[in-house]
């Protein structure tokens, strides 16, 4: 669902062979897709493993805040749709871990990093889902922001990632429409339902803008990703696109965006937004968001409680294999 | 909390549809509780999938109940959502087996296996119902439950014949669940009327086939069929365990807090 531009520094590649590097860059420049068995700079591989695994982690951690409402969804139609949506997220996690495996990073190792608190995932999932309207707001805003981030990734230079993103994006657009439809139903509903929708928008708006990562002025490490065509647009460009697409939707819903400085630029037509609280972003990334501890604890619990199942399945498979061999 | 519980005119046809719908909804709800918490991502998806199938079956059966229920005095008609969200514990008609808390993955699998080994042949037989709508529901449901049975059978074997620890857990799950299996085969006067019309089949006719399926899979799983013959019952007539009330409190809280709202 949700990549986040975290702008980690790629590893220096001073040991790479210069000629191979030049050929590699030529392929990238001509929009050739790099495949799993092709030569690639070590730093390219590591950058991709980091980005794809953060994305995969975000999907499976992202199951938790929305999953919290599956048992409380207010109609059977909503219940089925939400369960299917959260299941899709699990599926996205699965494709993405598989894409990372093509780069020699195993799912087990990546998940261990997540559970040890060494890996990052999208900061947005460290906020709580307090009411049903949060499910609408997440679909509309969080999936909306994710789509902005991810559509360009369908053209990413690394083939397995780009192809995974095509399917992921199709499902995400469906989720976004579902989320908007939940918000619309609430906005047209009783006074209490409308207030619930407004409250959810108030809480999710700024964290959604943070999903695009730090401002370009603080973002010194994305040049290499851009040259490698992993990244196609800057954080601020994508954030602006998202705001421009979302403001008219909020107006259509009759809801107010929680930004007193929001105004439309007469020349460009862009919606100019107020100051983002980057300190909050840093704190959430650093593990101090309202739900960081809960999210990791849930993930670890599921993993630990499932250990006997995985061990038994492995033991059974090994025994079957030896029976067949005998 | 505002209470806006509905009343239901439980003619034999309505009662029948609600019983099957409640089984599917409550079991589907239990499976949905696992979403995001399963032992592997593949199993997370599979359990959600089975849950979705069951919730879909419940919706079709509630829609049928709504069609067959005589209209209320004020002209209102019940819907899938009023049945699901505005009935109290005593008005639910599901099997006790379906409402039992999940427990570990082994118990989730064993419960689903015991139920699927019954409901799959049940729906297969119901495809010959004299009622075209029930036959159509059965035809769709059977395609799904055939997969549920295959999936859970494989896991019962894998875990039963996995490690000593997984074997013990599966045997314990089986012992725990066994006394809740008898209710699946019960029948009563209301159902006897529908059976006489060829609308539904006699669930007790499924018993021997079910027992053979269960025994075959348990043998391969190196598990032992429990000896206890005592069977719990009550769900079909609204006498439930303590667990269902908590499930419904969670599930129904939002619609009950805003009567008449559209979600």
């Amino acid at each position: 669902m949700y990549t986040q531009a975290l702008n980690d520094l790629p590893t220096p590649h001073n040991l790479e062979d210069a000629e191979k590097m030049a050929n590699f860059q030529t392929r990238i420049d001509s929009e050739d897709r790099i495949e799993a068995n092709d030569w690639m700079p070590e730093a390219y591989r590591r950058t991709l493993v980091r980005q794809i695994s953060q994305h995969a982690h975000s999907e499976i951690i992202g199951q938790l805040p929305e999953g919290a409402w599956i048992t409380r969804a207010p109609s059977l139609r909503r219940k089925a749709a939400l369960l299917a949506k959260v299941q899709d997220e699990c599926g996205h996690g699965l494709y993405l871990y598989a894409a990372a495996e093509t780069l020699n990073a195993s799912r087990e190792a990546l998940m261990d990093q997540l559970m040890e608190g060494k890996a990052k995932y999208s900061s947005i999932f460290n906020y709580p889902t307090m009411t049903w309207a949060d499910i609408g707001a997440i679909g509309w805003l969080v999936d909306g922001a994710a789509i902005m981030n991810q559509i360009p990734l369908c053209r990413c230079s690394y083939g397995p990632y780009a192809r995974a993103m095509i399917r992921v994006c199709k499902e995400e657009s469906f989720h976004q429409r579902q989320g908007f439809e939940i918000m619309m139903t609430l906005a047209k509903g009783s006074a209490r339902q409308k207030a619930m929708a407004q409250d959810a928008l108030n809480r999710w708006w700024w964290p959604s803008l943070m999903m695009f990562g730090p401002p370009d002025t603080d973002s010194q490490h994305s040049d290499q990703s851009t040259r490698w065509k992993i990244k196609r647009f800057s954080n601020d460009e994508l954030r602006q696109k998202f705001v421009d697409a979302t403001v008219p939707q909020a107006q259509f819903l009759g809801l107010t965006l929680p930004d007193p400085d929001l105004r439309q630029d007469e020349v460009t037509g862009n919606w100019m937004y107020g100051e983002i609280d980057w300190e909050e972003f840093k704190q959430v990334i650093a593990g101090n968001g309202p739900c960081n501890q809960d999210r990791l604890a849930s993930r670890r619990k599921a993993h630990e409680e499932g250990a006997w199942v995985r061990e038994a399945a492995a033991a059974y498979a090994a025994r079957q294999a030896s029976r067949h061999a005998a | 909390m505002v209470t806006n519980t509905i009343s239901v005119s439980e003619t034999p046809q309505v009662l029948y549809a609600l019983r099957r719908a409640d089984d599917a909804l409550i079991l589907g709800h239990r499976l949905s509780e696992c979403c995001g918490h399963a032992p592997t991502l593949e199993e997370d998806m599979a359990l959600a999938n089975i849950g979705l199938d069951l919730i879909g079956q419940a919706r079709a059966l509630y829609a049928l109940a709504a069609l067959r229920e005589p209209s209320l005095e004020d002209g209102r008609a019940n819907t899938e959502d009023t049945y699901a969200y505005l009935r109290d514990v005593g008005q639910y008609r599901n099997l006790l087996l379906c409402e039992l808390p999940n427990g570990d993955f082994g118990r989730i699998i064993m419960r689903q296996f015991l139920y699927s080994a019954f409901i799959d042949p049940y729906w297969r037989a119901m495809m010959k119902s004299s009622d075209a709508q029930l036959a159509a529901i059965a035809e769709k449901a059977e395609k799904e439950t055939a997969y549920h049975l295959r999936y859970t059978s494989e896991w019962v074997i894998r875990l039963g014949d996995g490690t000593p620890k997984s074997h013990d857990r599966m045997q314990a799950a089986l012992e725990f669940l066994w006394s809740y299996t008898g209710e699946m085969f019960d029948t009563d006067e209301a159902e006897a009327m529908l059976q006489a019309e060829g609308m539904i089949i006699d669930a007790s006719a499924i018993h021997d086939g079910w027992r053979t399926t269960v025994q075959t899979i348990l043998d391969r799983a190196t598990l032992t069929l429990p000896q206890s013959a005592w069977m719990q019952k009550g769900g079909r007539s609204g006498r439930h365990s303590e667990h269902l009330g908590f499930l419904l409190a969670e599930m129904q809280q939002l619609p009950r807090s805003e009567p008449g709202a559209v979600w």
Side-chain angles (χ1 to χ4, degrees), chain A residues 71 73 78 107 190 192 319, chain B residues 42 85 161 250 258 263:
Chain A
T71 53
R78 296 290 186 206
R107 194 204 303 184
S190 68
R192 189 169 154 249
R319 210 159 41 249
Chain B
E42 287 82 353
Y85 290 93
D161 190 21
E250 182 174 344
E258 191 76 9
W263 297 96

Side-chain angles (χ1 to χ4, degrees), chain A residues 311-323:
Chain A
E311 282 160 17
Y316 180 79
R319 210 159 41 249
Q320 289 299 103
S322 66
R323 275 174 202 159

Side-chain angles (χ1 to χ4, degrees), chain A residues 99 123 133 147 156 181 186 197 239 246:
Chain A
S123 55
I147 291 165
C156 164
E181 202 249 328
L186 294 173
R239 188 163 17 242
T246 309

Side-chain angles (χ1 to χ4, degrees), chain B residues 170-244:
Chain B
M170 292 310 276
Q171 187 65 43
L174 183 60
E175 304 284 348
F176 180 84
L177 295 166
W178 188 249
S179 69
Y180 297 96
T181 56
E183 200 179 15
M184 295 191 288
F185 308 99
D186 284 352
T187 187
D188 62 7
E189 277 180 31
E191 296 208 358
M193 279 176 60
L194 304 179
Q195 285 165 23
E197 293 167 21
M199 191 180 268
I200 67 169
I201 63 146
D202 179 354
S204 65
I206 302 288
H207 183 266
D208 291 352
W210 173 83
R211 180 110 180 176
T212 305
T213 305
V214 170
Q215 185 71 65
T216 306
I217 298 299
L218 292 184
D219 286 346
R220 290 184 59 195
T222 70
L223 297 171
T224 313
L225 206 67
Q227 293 306 305
S228 159
W230 174 255
M231 290 290 156
Q232 302 290 345
K233 60 171 75 177
R236 289 285 185 237
S237 55
R239 291 183 174 236
H240 290 279
S241 68
E242 290 173 353
H243 307 295
L244 185 63

Side-chain angles (χ1 to χ4, degrees), chain A residues 57-68:
Chain A
H57 298 332
S58 301
E59 297 284 355
I60 59 165
I61 294 289
Q63 286 186 271
L64 300 171
E66 291 176 276

